[in-house]
């Protein structure tokens, strides 16, 4: 969605090079004198995955060493960036008797376990709670707005804030509590990070909705890190941060100040339509929807300034209906910034708030911060480079900041190809492998060609890896 690359874009060359020629049974990165790859079709599915991983590790190691040599020649030393040691591959997840130690707890591994050391190293960093970090600045601006605009009783804030909840949740919390169907694509192992079959790293802050409602809260914000397996480019990262908000209304609260409001009801038994749920009256739905859109319009105006153009796009979420995506016109381009909607009454009822209805929204902090501060690459949020961090040490959280690029070096592109196992493989498996070995120096991975061998029914995958040598 955020296609802008910033000032560095002009120095990047396109992926115009031709993919390497693939000889049957030969690793395309090897010269004819270096031998042949192990034929993966002679092993079982698990062995094929391990061997494919080993081959990619070896290829990336060769590329990584060459890039490191060039980087040392170009600038003497690369400062402010983490470099993952090119050590041996970690043991395959799910090994019998093994366990993952995370945040003081132990989780036995099974066939669902798919956490990588790269992702595990990010748990507990909590960028949104690090003072003067750009994500912290944005979180504080949202908190400031809600505290000022929505006072509760006796002058205390109406919305409570939870920004230190554990990212480890149960699969029930992440999916079932939100009415996500068993066959919904968001449940796929290939898209999530599982500790085991029952526990995972949350894929959204909505995983805490039910518990907080059950505790009796009716207005709250949740901020935290969330985890999803995803592609490698400037707009996607396996860890990012969300801010979630929920507000419930009683009949008295919703219809207060409405003419003849004492005669209006929240609930009825009717049929579901595109405009409302079967248990909600149309009047109640329209008032909740109006309050939601007014709340979000005021929030975006607080962040981006007056005169902001906003539009609403109908969409679908399993836990809200009707549902919308909010888009803002920023510098002449329409950008989607959040999703929202009227909460499914079945979810609200199951949490013990049967006499109320309400709205919920969720936004990505990185997406907003990239727009607001003109940050071109999502991986920069994880940088410990002082040149990046000092740009956001401002005395006022509302002060305008425009990010200044750090690197003067162009991208380096390398094409590789390898055989795929016949089964139990997703593209996100390869992306995780690249991130584990190449770290954040690998900026982008594009699939540039496919081929299926007519005799062995095996497919080589030919991605192009784009990386950058930074000063």
């Amino acid at each position: 969605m955020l296609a802008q690359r910033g000032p560095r874009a002009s120095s990047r060359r396109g992926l115009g090079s031709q993919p390497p020629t693939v000889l049957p049974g030969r690793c395309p990165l090897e010269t004819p004198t270096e031998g042949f790859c192990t034929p993966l079709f002679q092993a079982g599915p698990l062995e094929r995955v391990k061997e494919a991983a080993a081959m990619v590790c070896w290829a990336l190691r060769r590329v990584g060493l060459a890039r490191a040599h060039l980087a040392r020649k170009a600038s003497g030393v690369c400062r402010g960036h983490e470099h993952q040691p090119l050590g041996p591959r970690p043991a395959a997840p799910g090994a019998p008797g093994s366990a993952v130690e995370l945040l003081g707890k132990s989780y036995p591994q099974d066939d669902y376990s798919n956490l990588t050391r790269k992702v595990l190293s990010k748990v507990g960093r909590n960028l949104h709670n690090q003072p003067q970090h750009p994500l912290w600045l944005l979180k504080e601006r949202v908190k400031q707005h809600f505290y000022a605009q929505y006072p509760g009783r006796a002058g205390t804030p109406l919305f409570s804030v939870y920004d230190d909840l554990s990212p480890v949740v149960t699969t029930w919390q992440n999916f079932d509590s939100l009415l996500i169907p068993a066959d919904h694509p968001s449940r796929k192992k290939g898209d999530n990070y599982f500790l085991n079959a029952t526990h995972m790293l949350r894929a959204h802050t909505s995983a805490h909705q039910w518990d907080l409602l059950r505790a009796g809260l009716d207005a709250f914000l949740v901020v935290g890190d969330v985890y999803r397996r995803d592609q490698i480019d400037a707009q996607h990262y396996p860890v990012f941060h969300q801010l979630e908000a929920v507000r419930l209304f009683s009949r008295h609260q919703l219809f207060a100040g409405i003419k003849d409001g004492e005669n209006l009801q929240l609930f009825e038994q009717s049929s579901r339509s595109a405009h409302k749920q079967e248990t909600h009256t149309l009047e109640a739905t329209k008032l909740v929807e109006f309050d939601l859109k007014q709340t979000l319009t005021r929030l975006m105006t607080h962040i981006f300034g007056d005169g902001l153009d906003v539009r609403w796009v109908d969409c679908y979420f399993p836990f809200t209906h009707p549902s919308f995506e909010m888009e803002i016109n920023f510098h002449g381009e329409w950008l989607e910034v959040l999703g929202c909607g009227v909460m499914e009454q079945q979810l609200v009822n199951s949490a013990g708030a049967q006499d109320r209805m309400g709205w919920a929204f969720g936004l990505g902090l990185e997406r907003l911060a990239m727009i607001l501060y003109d940050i071109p690459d999502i991986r920069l949020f994880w940088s410990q480079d002082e040149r990046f961090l000092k740009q956001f040490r401002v005395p006022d959280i509302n002060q305008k900041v425009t990010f200044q690029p750090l690197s003067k070096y162009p991208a380096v592109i390398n094409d590789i190809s390898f055989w795929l196992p016949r089964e139990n493989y997703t593209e996100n498996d390869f992306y995780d492998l690249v991130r584990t070995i190449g770290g954040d120096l690998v900026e982008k991975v594009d699939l540039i060609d496919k081929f299926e061998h007519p005799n062995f029914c095996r497919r080589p995958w030919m991605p192009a890896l784009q990386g950058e040598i930074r000063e």
Side-chain angles (χ1 to χ4, degrees):
M1 182 67 70
L2 300 175
Q4 298 169 324
R5 291 286 294 170
R8 294 183 294 166
S10 61
S11 65
R12 309 290 168 89
R13 71 177 178 88
L15 299 179
S17 56
Q18 294 297 317
T21 303
V22 179
L23 301 178
R26 183 182 296 278
C27 176
L29 289 176
E30 293 176 334
T31 63
T33 61
E34 289 180 307
F36 291 83
C37 297
T38 304
L40 301 182
F41 57 88
Q42 293 180 355
L46 180 58
E47 286 72 18
R48 288 199 297 269
V49 173
K50 290 181 178 178
E51 291 175 0
M55 184 168 62
V56 176
C57 286
W58 171 81
L60 288 174
R61 187 172 290 116
R62 289 183 62 186
V63 173
L65 291 173
R67 298 297 176 260
H69 175 68
L70 289 175
R72 285 192 296 270
K73 291 184 65 177
S75 60
V77 62
C78 292
R79 301 184 300 271
H81 293 273
E82 296 179 63
H83 294 267
Q84 294 291 337
L86 298 179
R89 284 188 303 121
S98 61
V100 175
E101 300 290 335
L102 188 60
L103 301 178
K105 294 185 178 180
S106 179
Y107 299 90
Q109 293 187 286
D110 57 25
D111 290 341
Y112 264 81
S113 306
N114 63 354
L115 282 176
T116 66
R117 66 187 184 196
K118 178 72 173 180
V119 170
L120 282 172
S121 71
K122 305 298 184 184
V123 178
R125 287 281 300 274
N126 297 327
L127 300 183
H128 62 289
N129 288 335
Q130 295 183 14
Q132 305 307 127
H133 190 279
L135 299 183
W136 177 87
L137 290 176
L138 188 54
K139 181 196 75 171
E140 291 300 309
R141 292 184 68 175
V142 175
K143 283 173 55 180
Q144 179 190 68
H145 173 76
F146 273 88
Y147 284 174
Q149 291 292 318
Y150 307 98
R153 298 172 184 171
T156 58
L158 175 65
F159 285 82
S160 51
V161 178
Y162 298 86
D163 59 8
D164 60 354
L165 300 176
S166 172
V168 179
V169 298
T170 65
T171 53
W172 186 90
Q173 288 173 301
N174 199 79
F175 300 120
D176 301 280
S177 72
L178 296 167
L179 311 179
I180 297 176
D183 59 350
H184 195 272
S186 67
R187 287 180 176 258
K188 291 189 300 184
K189 179 181 175 182
D191 290 339
N192 299 283
Y193 287 106
F194 289 90
L195 283 85
N196 52 42
T198 59
H199 290 80
M200 63 185 296
L201 296 178
R202 63 189 170 207
H204 41 205
T205 48
S206 304
H208 302 288
Q209 247 184 48
W210 191 92
D211 293 305
L212 294 174
L213 291 173
R214 188 70 172 178
L217 299 175
D218 56 12
F220 55 84
L221 304 176
V222 180
V223 193
D225 44 339
V226 298
Y227 299 78
R228 298 181 192 172
R229 304 179 75 190
D230 216 331
Q231 64 201 70
I232 297 177
D233 58 32
Q235 287 80 43
H236 297 89
Y237 201 68
V239 193
F240 58 102
H241 298 75
Q242 282 188 342
L243 185 147
E244 177 104 1
V246 167
R247 185 176 185 186
L248 298 185
F249 299 88
S250 65
R251 177 175 172 272
H252 171 73
Q253 290 171 325
L254 188 61
F255 296 126
I258 302 297
K259 184 178 180 180
D260 298 326
E262 64 275 7
N263 298 321
L264 299 176
Q265 302 294 325
L266 295 179
F267 306 112
E268 68 179 9
Q269 288 300 322
S270 59
S271 58
R272 177 174 290 239
S273 70
H275 305 290
K276 71 178 206 67
Q277 299 173 36
E278 60 272 22
T279 57
H280 293 162
T281 65
L282 185 59
E283 296 84 0
T285 299
K286 289 302 181 183
L287 282 174
V288 171
E289 179 183 324
F290 177 80
D291 186 86
L292 168 64
K293 291 181 177 179
Q294 286 291 100
T295 298
L296 291 173
T297 300
R298 285 194 292 264
L299 174 62
M300 290 300 134
T301 299
H302 170 72
I303 293 175
F304 292 100
D306 295 328
L308 188 69
D309 289 331
V310 171
R311 69 183 183 189
W312 304 92
V313 179
D314 293 339
C315 63
Y316 166 76
F317 300 116
F319 32 85
T320 56
H321 181 77
S323 302
F324 313 96
E325 288 178 343
M326 182 185 194
E327 296 183 352
I328 63 171
N329 192 306
F330 192 72
H331 293 167
E333 183 179 1
W334 285 102
L335 303 172
E336 183 246 315
V337 292
L338 59 84
C340 62
V342 178
M343 296 181 69
E344 282 285 355
Q345 196 60 36
Q346 182 183 344
L347 188 164
V348 177
N349 290 349
S350 68
Q354 297 91 334
D355 62 336
R356 298 172 183 245
M357 64 180 293
W359 52 249
F361 74 81
L363 58 85
L365 288 179
E366 279 89 346
R367 176 170 294 184
L368 280 185
M370 291 173 79
I371 300 171
L372 183 65
Y373 302 127
D374 199 22
I375 298 175
D377 195 311
I378 192 171
R379 286 159 293 209
L380 284 167
F381 292 105
W382 294 93
S383 174
Q384 295 178 304
D385 192 321
E386 184 65 16
R387 294 172 299 171
F388 173 77
L389 297 174
K390 70 180 181 181
Q391 297 185 41
F392 300 94
R393 296 195 184 111
V394 292
D396 181 0
I397 61 174
N398 295 302
Q399 180 175 324
K400 179 177 174 59
V401 177
T402 300
F403 169 72
Q404 300 299 315
L406 309 180
S407 177
K408 64 183 180 182
Y409 292 105
V412 177
I413 297 176
N414 189 75
D415 297 346
I416 68 171
S417 62
F418 51 90
W419 293 108
L420 293 180
R422 290 195 185 95
E423 55 191 19
N424 298 327
Y425 171 83
T426 68
E427 289 185 11
N428 284 335
D429 294 332
F430 179 71
Y431 297 144
D432 277 343
L433 183 62
V434 172
R435 283 192 173 105
T436 297
I437 298 170
D440 292 345
L441 289 180
V442 181
E443 285 194 342
K444 187 177 182 181
V445 174
D446 281 327
L447 178 61
I448 59 175
D449 202 359
K450 294 181 180 180
F451 168 76
E452 184 164 320
H453 195 283
N455 296 332
F456 301 115
C457 297
R458 294 160 58 212
R459 298 172 296 144
W461 210 53
M462 303 179 188
L465 279 69
Q466 175 174 307
E468 180 177 37
I469 300 173
R470 294 187 173 91
E471 183 181 25

